[in-house]
Amino acid sequence: MAVYTEVRFDEAAALLHALDLGDLTELQGIKGGIENTNYFVTSERQGQTLQHVLTVFERLDFQQLPFYLHLMKHLANRGIPVPNPAVTASGQILHSIQGKPAAVVDRLRGHSELSPQEHHCKAVGAMLASMHLAGQDFNMRQDNLRGLSWWNETVPVVLPFLTEAQARLIRSELAYQNHIAASSAHKALPRGPIHADLFRDNVMFEGEALTGFFDFYFAGCDSFLFDIAVCLNDWCVRHGDAAVDGQPVPSLALAFLQAYESVRPLSPAEHQLLPAMLRAGALRFWISRLWDLHLPREASMLQAHDPTHFERVLRARRPDAVAAVDADLPRPQEVAPA
């Protein structure tokens, strides 16, 4: 949500007209995040004030983006509260600004809850399960682009920036996750479209009511369990003080999982591999934050996230990981550093 592309007022106004969203009255760059250019846009149409979000995509291309946009529209049509992409009269869902792909979606009500309580975690868990079920008949497929293949490609790039101890940790964990991915238990995990980035700042609440999930631009087809693990590693851990940062909060995790399973019970393979997927989720975001910190792109509004947090989450997840798994899964001590 940094601003890499400076969108002119007249460019945004022309796009809103093409989408029949009225006359642009305000264009405001959104601070935070690191992947795309985002603006809040406000318009007037027939005396009604409309609020949307304009996104200019900086890394995803015209071939990749239809998956994300059509997934959001599919979920919105099935009652999941997600941003609904605006389309032209001819049904065009993906647009162009300055030669880059762009989209306009409706702006969700409410605010993000950065200090969640049990009722927030319950709401997110239940809605995530509903989203997974609603996406099962989505007829487009695209792999999780920040999955295992990307980890294998990116770890060698960030290794020069790590201490010796960090390098040992990231190599051994990557080797372990490659073993996990090759196991029979992993192959048995239920799969479908997942959000893959459902952090606290990607969910809206109005009072105690959950009003929406947004920022689907890391979505892809992967295991539902990975999506659950990403949530547990953000919603159900401590944040802030280095002495406790990244430590799990069992009461929040229990609330989340019970609510999720009230809608979609976990399979035996999912119960087996949850500890391993918690480690996988922590590794994925440690790698990406290292990459964004040490190999940044220029932007007029850019705040790189601290990778140390997810290093702590990973270390906190490792000691009791991989309990009661299939015999063909390696134990942590069996995995040599790459």
Side-chain angles (χ1 to χ4, degrees):
M1 295 184 187
V3 173
Y4 301 95
T5 301
E6 297 284 352
V7 177
R8 300 191 313 270
F9 193 92
D10 64 310
E11 290 177 308
L15 179 54
L16 292 191
H17 281 154
L19 295 168
D20 193 27
L21 294 178
D23 297 323
L24 179 66
T25 59
E26 186 177 359
L27 180 67
Q28 177 186 355
I30 302 176
K31 186 178 182 180
I34 52 179
E35 285 296 318
N36 300 309
T37 292
N38 286 271
Y39 287 87
F40 290 134
V41 292
T42 304
S43 61
E44 294 287 336
R45 185 182 64 182
Q46 298 177 348
Q48 182 181 14
T49 299
L50 305 178
Q51 293 187 319
H52 290 80
V53 175
L54 164 63
T55 299
V56 180
F57 300 95
E58 305 293 346
R59 286 180 171 166
L60 298 169
D61 59 34
F62 285 94
Q63 287 70 45
Q64 295 166 333
L65 279 161
F67 173 86
Y68 306 105
L69 298 174
H70 285 288
L71 174 60
M72 286 189 286
K73 186 160 284 293
H74 175 93
L75 295 174
N77 289 340
R78 280 157 177 73
I80 305 300
V82 301
N84 197 353
V87 299
T88 64
S90 62
Q92 184 68 30
I93 200 170
L94 182 59
H95 318 290
S96 178
I97 287 183
Q98 298 180 27
K100 297 180 179 180
V104 176
V105 301
D106 50 354
R107 183 176 174 181
L108 300 174
R109 306 185 322 276
H111 64 278
S112 295
E113 180 52 68
L114 300 184
S115 299
Q117 305 300 310
E118 287 186 20
H119 65 273
H120 299 112
C121 293
K122 287 179 180 179
V124 175
M127 187 59 71
L128 182 66
S130 296
M131 189 197 85
H132 287 162
L133 293 175
Q136 286 184 317
D137 63 344
F138 183 55
N139 61 9
M140 298 178 70
R141 175 173 178 80
Q142 182 166 284
D143 288 339
N144 177 4
L145 299 182
R146 290 291 180 91
L148 182 63
S149 296
W150 186 82
W151 309 348
N152 284 319
E153 293 170 0
T154 308
V155 164
V157 178
V158 300
L159 276 175
F161 302 100
L162 303 184
T163 66
E164 183 177 343
Q166 289 173 322
R168 284 197 303 270
L169 173 62
I170 206 167
R171 282 172 170 153
S172 67
E173 189 61 38
L174 181 61
Y176 183 69
Q177 293 299 332
N178 275 285
H179 280 288
I180 293 292
S183 70
S184 59
H186 192 274
K187 290 178 173 60
L189 292 175
R191 298 172 185 275
I194 68 169
H195 186 285
D197 189 34
L198 196 62
F199 281 23
R200 293 162 297 149
D201 56 356
N202 285 335
V203 179
M204 287 292 199
F205 286 88
E206 196 169 53
E208 294 191 358
L210 192 158
T211 55
F213 292 170
F214 65 101
D215 199 359
F216 276 77
Y217 302 116
F218 283 115
C221 295
D222 206 330
S223 72
F224 296 143
L225 188 62
F226 183 76
D227 224 10
I228 293 169
V230 168
C231 289
L232 291 173
N233 280 343
D234 187 63
W235 288 87
C236 307
V237 304
R238 298 189 185 280
H239 298 266
D241 188 336
V244 297
D245 184 62
Q247 293 295 316
V249 182
S251 60
L252 296 183
L254 182 61
F256 182 100
L257 288 169
Q258 286 180 338
Y260 184 96
E261 289 207 83
S262 72
V263 178
R264 190 191 77 85
L266 298 183
S267 70
E270 289 175 308
H271 280 291
Q272 284 184 308
L273 287 188
L274 179 56
M277 285 300 101
L278 289 169
R279 291 169 60 171
L283 178 66
R284 177 264 190 257
F285 285 96
W286 186 27
I287 294 170
S288 62
R289 288 189 175 189
L290 286 167
W291 187 48
D292 290 324
L293 177 65
H294 296 296
L295 300 163
R297 294 168 295 151
E298 292 184 1
S300 63
M301 300 164 64
L302 177 58
Q303 293 182 338
H305 296 297
D306 180 10
T308 307
H309 171 73
F310 274 104
E311 179 186 353
R312 293 185 179 122
V313 174
L314 176 57
R315 291 183 184 278
R317 295 299 191 187
R318 278 169 64 93
D320 61 347
V322 199
V325 294
D326 278 355
D328 64 336
L329 294 182
R331 300 305 190 265
Q333 64 267 27
E334 297 172 0
V335 180

